[in-house]
């Protein structure tokens, strides 16, 4: 333990696959580490952010059977940026489909940001399949969380980046930025889609401490990645994640309070602000709760990375 832990060494998958989950969607997944080990699934953020090789290295490869998947339309899953049949509930079903495909009974579930949304929702729907939860940068898609980041709030801390974010949107439409972006991210004009995808993505990256993760802005400049990230995120947000009620995740926490859980939250997280982690902590007091006093949103923040590595080590022999 400690506050400046290094990730486990870079590692290559021992197996990768493309799982057909419908007549439209196919999902890329990979397995690393110990093929007979303790299974853990990594749920990436966004939604639409996709996995990256560094994500494999939170976990001790001698002990964990490390499974990562690109969610619908993200990363190497196909069709890229596809919004049809792409909802929270499709993704929950996909996680179960992958678990069955890999003949896993129960697994540790790891997720940050949107990945924490998906991890919590999956556990509340399938608590008997979850050995432990490791959660970072808590996000539950409540309206106030979305408005804070995509309409007004984070904009007070990043007014310069906000000016860039609103540029593609005419003044008369700026009262509903998510709606205005959604119309453009789903329009017929590819140039408009791409320009808006990059502006949306750059806004999110600009509010994560870039010295911690300089690769973020590069990704936002890549047309294909920006389209996957922006289209899928905006689609989920304008639909409130298709949750039956506002605050559904927090209202259903009692279903998972018996599950070993660690919550890690950056005090200065501008994307998924601390209030949601605090609300989860109050609803789920049994979970281990860690403020990272100097951290923003990224899981590359030294204090956040260390606490996540500690949690992964804590649950490695479950
Ligand atoms: C609201 N979106 C926050 C999120 O899930 C997220 N932020 N950055 C990422 C990546 C690291 C995947 C780019 O995901």
């Amino acid at each position: 333990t400690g506050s400046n832990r290094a990730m486990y060494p870079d590692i290559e998958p021992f197996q990768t696959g493309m799982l057909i989950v419908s007549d439209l969607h196919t999902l890329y997944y990979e397995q690393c580490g110990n093929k007979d080990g303790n299974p853990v699934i990594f749920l990436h953020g966004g939604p639409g952010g996709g996995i990256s090789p560094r994500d494999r290295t939170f976990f001790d490869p001698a002990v964990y059977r490390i499974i990562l998947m690109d969610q619908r339309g993200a990363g190497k899953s196909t069709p890229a940026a596809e919004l049809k049949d792409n909802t929270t509930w499709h993704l929950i079903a996909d996680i179960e489909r992958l678990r069955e495909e890999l003949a896993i009974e129960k697994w540790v579930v790891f997720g940050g940001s949107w990945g924490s949304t998906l991890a919590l929702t999956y556990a509340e729907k399938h608590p008997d399949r979850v050995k432990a939860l490791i959660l970072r940068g808590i996000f539950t898609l409540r309206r106030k969380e979305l408005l804070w980041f995509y309409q007004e709030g984070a904009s007070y801390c990043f007014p310069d980046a906000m000016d860039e974010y609103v540029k593609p949107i005419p003044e008369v439409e700026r009262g509903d930025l998510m709606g205005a972006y959604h119309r453009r991210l789903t329009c017929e004009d590819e140039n408009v889609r791409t320009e808006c995808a990059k502006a949306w993505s750059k806004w999110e990256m600009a509010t994560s401490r870039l010295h911690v993760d300089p690769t973020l802005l590069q990704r936002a400049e890549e047309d294909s990645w920006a389209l996957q990230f922006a289209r899928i995120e905006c689609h989920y947000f304008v639909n409130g994640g298709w949750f039956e009620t506002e605050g559904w995740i927090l209202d259903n926490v009692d279903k998972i309070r018996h599950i070993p859980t660690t919550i890690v939250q950056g005090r200065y997280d501008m994307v998924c602000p601390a209030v949601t982690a605090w609300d989860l902590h109050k609803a789920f007091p049994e979970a281990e709760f860690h403020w990272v006093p100097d951290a923003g949103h990224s899981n590359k923040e030294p204090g956040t990375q260390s606490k996540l590595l500690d949690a992964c080590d804590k649950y490695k022999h479950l």
Side-chain angles (χ1 to χ4, degrees):
T1 61
S3 61
N4 215 352
R5 285 192 59 178
M7 302 289 275
Y8 283 94
D10 290 350
I11 187 170
E12 288 303 311
F14 61 76
Q15 189 257 336
T16 67
M18 292 299 285
L19 181 66
I20 299 171
V21 290
S22 83
D23 55 10
L24 176 60
H25 289 279
T26 298
L27 306 182
Y28 170 77
Y29 71 89
E30 55 187 45
Q31 299 193 76
C32 311
N34 180 339
K35 65 180 177 46
D36 303 312
N38 181 17
V40 56
I41 181 157
F42 176 93
L43 300 177
H44 67 67
I51 58 178
S52 56
R54 174 180 173 273
D55 299 333
R56 304 165 187 159
T57 63
F58 277 104
F59 314 96
D60 182 348
V63 177
Y64 274 114
R65 178 183 175 190
I66 308 156
I67 296 144
L68 307 96
M69 170 184 73
D70 280 322
Q71 297 155 29
R72 291 191 180 206
K76 295 176 186 158
S77 292
T78 58
E82 176 60 57
L83 302 182
K84 187 176 178 310
D85 297 341
N86 197 344
T87 71
T88 308
W89 309 112
H90 287 103
L91 302 192
I92 299 298
D94 292 344
I95 295 168
E96 276 294 274
R97 179 79 185 69
L98 180 61
R99 184 185 59 73
E100 289 161 0
E101 175 74 12
L102 300 180
I104 288 165
E105 282 299 305
K106 287 183 85 161
W107 44 8
V108 176
V109 181
F110 179 112
S113 197
W114 162 258
S116 73
T117 319
L118 200 52
L120 285 162
T121 306
Y122 174 72
E124 289 176 2
K125 281 289 186 185
H126 302 283
D128 53 333
R129 298 298 180 187
V130 180
K131 288 182 168 186
L133 284 166
I134 301 165
L135 308 170
R136 180 272 310 177
I138 306 305
F139 185 43
T140 64
L141 258 70
R142 292 175 296 182
R143 188 79 185 139
K144 66 182 183 183
E145 298 170 45
L146 297 168
L147 291 174
W148 154 270
F149 191 67
Y150 295 101
Q151 188 63 40
E152 183 177 10
S155 53
Y156 293 172
C157 303
F158 293 87
D160 45 350
M162 189 66 180
D163 282 355
E164 293 306 309
Y165 168 54
V166 302
K167 240 178 209 162
I169 310 299
E171 290 261 358
V172 289
E173 293 183 55
R174 291 182 182 173
D176 173 18
L177 289 167
M178 282 181 273
Y181 262 96
H182 193 260
R183 285 190 290 279
R184 287 160 177 78
L185 290 167
T186 56
C187 78
E188 293 305 311
D189 184 331
E190 188 183 350
N191 294 328
V192 169
R193 289 203 306 269
T194 302
E195 182 212 353
C196 286
K198 288 164 80 168
W200 171 285
S201 302
K202 280 170 19 185
W203 161 244
E204 179 148 346
M205 301 313 153
T207 59
S208 302
R209 295 190 323 146
L210 295 175
H211 66 284
V212 167
D213 188 356
T215 67
L216 283 176
L217 271 186
Q218 291 148 20
R219 287 169 100 175
E221 288 293 351
E222 289 164 23
D223 293 7
S224 58
W225 186 84
L227 278 163
Q228 289 176 291
F229 187 67
R231 274 170 52 89
I232 297 171
E233 276 203 332
C234 194
H235 176 62
Y236 273 68
F237 301 157
V238 299
N239 287 285
W242 297 273
F243 290 106
E244 292 133 50
T245 56
E246 168 73 359
W248 187 89
I249 289 175
L250 289 168
D251 294 344
N252 286 277
V253 161
D254 285 349
K255 295 188 173 78
I256 62 172
R257 286 175 59 184
H258 64 287
I259 296 174
T261 297
T262 296
I263 302 165
V264 180
Q265 178 67 33
R267 171 67 73 181
Y268 297 101
D269 186 333
M270 288 286 131
V271 184
C272 300
V275 63
T276 304
W278 186 245
D279 287 344
L280 178 63
H281 170 56
K282 289 187 288 185
F284 189 175
E286 299 82 0
E288 210 176 290
F289 182 80
H290 298 284
W291 287 119
V292 186
D294 59 351
H297 181 62
S298 171
N299 68 25
K300 294 185 177 175
E301 295 271 6
T304 304
Q305 176 172 305
S306 298
K307 286 296 181 194
L308 290 172
L309 286 158
D310 290 349
C312 293
D313 286 349
K314 177 176 179 180
Y315 300 134
K316 68 167 71 169
H317 295 303
L318 284 183

